Amino acid sequence: MERGCPKGGCEVCGIFGYIGNKEALPFLVEGLKKLEYRGYDSAGVATIDKGRLFVTKCAGKIADLERELNERPINGEIGIGHTRWATHGRPSDENSHPHTDCTDTLVVVHNGIIENYLQLRRQLSEEGHKFTSTTDTEILAHLIEKHLKDNLESAVRLALNEVEGSYALAVLSEHEPGKIVAARRGSPLIIGVQEGETFLSSDIPAILKYTSRVIYLNDFEIATITGREIKVSNLKGQPVNKEITLISWDPESAEKVGYAHFMLKEIHEQPKAIRDSVISRVKVDEAYLHFDELNFTEEEARQVNRIVFTACGTSWHAGLIGEYLIEQFVKIPAEVEYAAEFRYRHPIVDENTLVIAITQSGETADTLGAVWEAKAQGAKVISICNVVGSSIARESHGVIYTYAGPEIGVASTKAFTTQLTIIYLFALYLAKKRGTLSVSEVRKMISDLIEIPDKIERLLLKEREIEQIAERFYKANNALFLGRGKGFPIALEGALKLKEISYVHAEGYPAAEMKHGPIALIDQNMPVIVLALAGRRYDKILGNVEEVKARGGQVIAVAVEGDDLIGEKADALISIPTTTEALTPILAVIPLQLLAYYIAVKRGCHVDQPRNLAKSVTVE
């Protein structure tokens, strides 16, 4: 078995828990709302009041659960809740969490997958246990029930020693009514610490309103939480000392604060996120670049002879930009690997290979597995991550944090542009250390980057113009995105955003590949979004536009301000401010984010919670 990693599909869900001196239910409901981006096809809560366990759950969104609770409220100063993204058992009332044991005195919520659940289910059924759902999670409730002899913590430990797979779980029992037992393997679980109150959550945004002091559980750790203390041990029962981490995110950053959707808010937060990610790390006059948590010596920088980026989804697109920048600035080979492929191949890396893992959450299962594989092969590993203390950050030799703040919308926006920002800075850092860029060149490039947030703010003033373009094209069911050079990864990202939130079939291609197949799809119903960015291949992009127009296609061009030539050819034009070729991708992606957002809104889609998707894929 690999460390904490499952081998099959599973639930990427949200867990929230509370124990304190107030009624738990309002905290549970509010916490689940903050976690609904992790899963939203069913939800449930459980509390203990006067020694008795109460459970309410149903298929549907948190609003459906709220209606149930308004009709039949439950009380108690301790409770756990769950919002689900189903793969193991269809969404239904019976398959919703929490799950109880045969006695209805013990309850479990769980993220992850129990790989050997069929074997355990047969065994427990033969012993007389009765099951009411088709989920793997219910196995845990009955397995803990079977072992519940002395105390709840021991029963959970014994049960988990029989389990194969991944889990983040929380358990309540009438037999020990003032206690929550929680455990983690492969799925994130965080304990929030406040005077007189303790919170349990799958992710930071859900507890920011109440506390900024958190404890991260590691794999194979069990926490026993009472009103007086938090005790952490491992699966062997040995105590583990835990440090409290202070989260610097502002609680307001996890709220919509007047925006219709989190995604729109996060698009508008990009200037600040980029400024925050840059300002403490550079001094322009000295061409100075510094990364506090990097743990990367000058000698190691000189010895690196190859860089491998590994990531998933949007972060993989950031890695593609990184490949261009490393080769351009540092003059060493670079490549980009899907983390799921890298970890299961036989990657050729050694002590002179630098592996850079890119992740917003720091919990993506495939990327975490790729980090372990790279380390096992002797490579130096650093991560680019948005969450302090996350699993990938802890497992890496060094880390560079993006200061994007919490990203709630499932479709990544500000996390992506801050990743591009950090990759740009790190490429400059390596180039300066290795002497492939002069001090004056680095100074100029830092100055160019510092101007980017202001240019994004100017670009965001075109929001109404982009919304009008969305009005023209939102009924299209297919779209093609084309780009050359650094425009190609942005074409991929634009297509991903559109398909994620509007359910429009969209594909991104290198523009030169259009004649190798995609051109057959072009007709008057197919909008083609062209990244017509200035550079040595600009004339070829104009040729692609002519080919699309000759076949009746409609062209939406993203081009640099002052480009009158492309404006004459395109059906719609979005102009971006002028910057250097290396920084153009950061600006070019902004209108594609807005275009996808407004098309999704006009198609009546759930922008922040697109169907079948969850924010962090913490399992395979």
Side-chain angles (χ1 to χ4, degrees), residues 23 78 96 189 203 209 219 221 244 253-254 273 313 375 410 485 519 534 542 545 605 611:
E23 284 292 320
I78 180 173
S96 305
L189 204 55
D203 209 347
K209 182 177 179 181
D219 282 353
E221 290 182 347
I244 292 177
S253 62
K375 289 171 67 178
V410 167
I519 198 168
L542 291 181
V545 171
C605 301
R611 68 188 182 205

Side-chain angles (χ1 to χ4, degrees), residues 100-102 106 108 114 116 120-121 123-124 127 129 131 136-149 154-164:
T100 56
D101 67 342
C102 291
L106 181 148
V108 176
I114 308 305
N116 59 337
L120 291 171
R121 185 178 180 116
Q123 174 187 318
L124 289 164
E127 293 171 3
H129 291 265
F131 293 89
D136 57 334
T137 297
E138 192 181 358
I139 304 299
L140 291 169
H142 293 280
L143 200 55
I144 296 168
E145 173 194 4
K146 171 184 174 179
H147 290 294
L148 189 53
K149 304 288 193 297
S154 295
V156 172
R157 180 175 291 107
L158 290 167
L160 292 181
N161 276 305
E162 293 189 43
V163 163
E164 297 175 9

Side-chain angles (χ1 to χ4, degrees), residues 417-429:
T417 50
T418 53
Q419 286 168 354
L420 295 185
T421 300
I422 292 302
I423 290 168
Y424 180 88
L425 282 177
F426 184 66
L428 294 183
Y429 170 87

